[in-house]
């Protein structure tokens, strides 16, 4: 791969240099979702539906090889679009880098109860998840960083509850209120401004909604 580098001036010309880079990366991605549904009908006007499940995402860096930075070469005059010297293929050698294994899992349960022949619908649920991150340095000669334990520590999530209430005023008009939370762990390989990895807090959120919905009749 050929990349451009910083703009610079040669006499009266402004040029950008080029350099070669090379890498070879292999990735595997797997996802699964297992769930089961239970339905109860205590009376003709009351129904209860419960869903419990477990899902996960697995990311593996099967191999990672990259080349050292090559010298700048073959500047291009950006105004005349002229190459001042031909591009030379350096054939940079690939060197093994560390490999990552990243596994996210989440368990959840959701219950919905409809009352008075679905005039009232109440939904409650919660979830919990974790991130397990591993980094393998066996293929490289450089030692692992001092904070490897912090970088690969299991990141445990918060319990994320949610709830909603729907009141069907008529068959075409409904009022609703909902509350939900979210939790997403930060990637352990992200680095801060000082180059330190594994130091970011998770991303969390809270969402509250109040509103009304109307089903308008279809028109020709």
């Amino acid at each position: 791969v050929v990349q451009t580098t910083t703009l610079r001036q040669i006499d009266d010309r402004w040029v950008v240099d080029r350099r070669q880079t090379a890498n070879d990366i292999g990735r595997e991605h797997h996802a699964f979702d297992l769930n089961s549904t239970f339905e109860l009908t205590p009376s003709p006007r009351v129904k209860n539906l419960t869903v419990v499940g477990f899902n996960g995402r697995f990311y593996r860096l099967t191999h990672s090889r990259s080349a050292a930075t090559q010298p700048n070469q073959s500047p291009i005059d950006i105004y005349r679009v002229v190459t001042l010297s031909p591009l030379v293929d350096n054939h940079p050698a690939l060197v093994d880098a560390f490999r990552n294994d990243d596994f996210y899992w989440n368990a959840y349960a959701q219950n919905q109860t409809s009352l008075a022949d679905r005039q009232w619908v109440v939904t409650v649920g919660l979830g919990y998840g974790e991130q397990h991150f591993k980094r393998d340095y066996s293929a490289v000669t450089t030692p692992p960083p001092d904070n490897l334990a912090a970088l690969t520590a299991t990141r445990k999530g918060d319990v994320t509850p949610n709830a909603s209430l729907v009141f069907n005023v008529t068959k075409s008009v409904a009022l609703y209120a909902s509350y939900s939370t979210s939790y997403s762990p930060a990637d352990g390989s992200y680095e801060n401004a000082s180059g330190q990895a594994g130091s970011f807090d998770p991303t969390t959120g809270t969402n509250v909604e109040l509103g009304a919905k109307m089903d308008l009749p279809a028109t020709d």
Side-chain angles (χ1 to χ4, degrees), residues 100-165:
N100 292 335
D101 282 345
D102 216 349
F103 176 54
Y104 297 83
W105 66 264
N106 178 67
Y108 60 91
Q110 200 78 7
N111 178 272
Q112 184 179 90
T113 301
S114 61
L115 307 169
D117 201 17
R118 293 194 62 82
Q119 186 171 22
W120 293 89
V121 180
V122 182
T123 303
V124 294
L126 56 84
Y128 174 80
E130 293 184 0
Q131 177 197 21
H132 298 261
F133 180 72
K134 295 180 181 180
R135 178 168 286 181
D136 180 8
Y137 284 85
S138 62
V140 299
T141 56
T142 56
D146 295 336
N147 67 328
L148 181 62
L151 192 153
T152 58
T154 297
R155 286 163 172 77
K156 298 182 178 181
D158 294 334
V159 174
T160 52
N162 66 83
S164 69
L165 174 64

Side-chain angles (χ1 to χ4, degrees), residues 120-219:
W120 293 89
V121 180
V122 182
T123 303
V124 294
L126 56 84
Y128 174 80
E130 293 184 0
Q131 177 197 21
H132 298 261
F133 180 72
K134 295 180 181 180
R135 178 168 286 181
D136 180 8
Y137 284 85
S138 62
V140 299
T141 56
T142 56
D146 295 336
N147 67 328
L148 181 62
L151 192 153
T152 58
T154 297
R155 286 163 172 77
K156 298 182 178 181
D158 294 334
V159 174
T160 52
N162 66 83
S164 69
L165 174 64
V166 177
F167 174 58
N168 293 297
V169 182
T170 66
K171 290 185 177 181
S172 58
V173 179
L175 305 177
Y176 72 92
S178 68
Y179 167 83
S180 61
T181 57
S182 63
Y183 178 96
S184 179
D187 191 313
S189 63
Y190 290 167
E191 296 182 353
N192 57 22
S194 61
Q196 197 77 0
S199 60
F200 285 95
D201 292 331
T203 300
T204 60
T206 300
N207 185 71
V208 178
E209 291 186 27
L210 297 171
K213 295 183 179 181
M214 179 179 292
D215 184 14
L216 298 176
T219 58

Side-chain angles (χ1 to χ4, degrees), residues 22-36:
N23 60 71
D24 179 21
I25 297 175
R27 295 185 176 94
E28 290 181 356
H29 301 272
H30 304 282
F32 64 88
D33 184 14
L34 306 174
N35 62 74
S36 184

Side-chain angles (χ1 to χ4, degrees), residues 48-109:
N48 181 272
L49 182 68
T50 301
V51 179
V52 294
F54 180 80
N55 58 37
R57 295 170 294 161
F58 182 71
Y59 303 91
R60 166 170 287 178
L61 194 64
T62 57
H63 66 270
S64 177
R65 295 186 290 270
S66 60
T69 302
Q70 301 299 298
N72 295 342
Q73 58 160 306
S74 186
I76 300 175
D77 186 329
I78 63 172
Y79 295 111
R80 300 176 180 87
V81 196
V82 175
T83 302
L84 304 187
S85 61
L87 184 67
V88 178
D89 190 356
N90 291 322
H91 299 287
L94 294 172
V95 178
D96 284 327
F98 55 75
R99 295 186 294 269
N100 292 335
D101 282 345
D102 216 349
F103 176 54
Y104 297 83
W105 66 264
N106 178 67
Y108 60 91

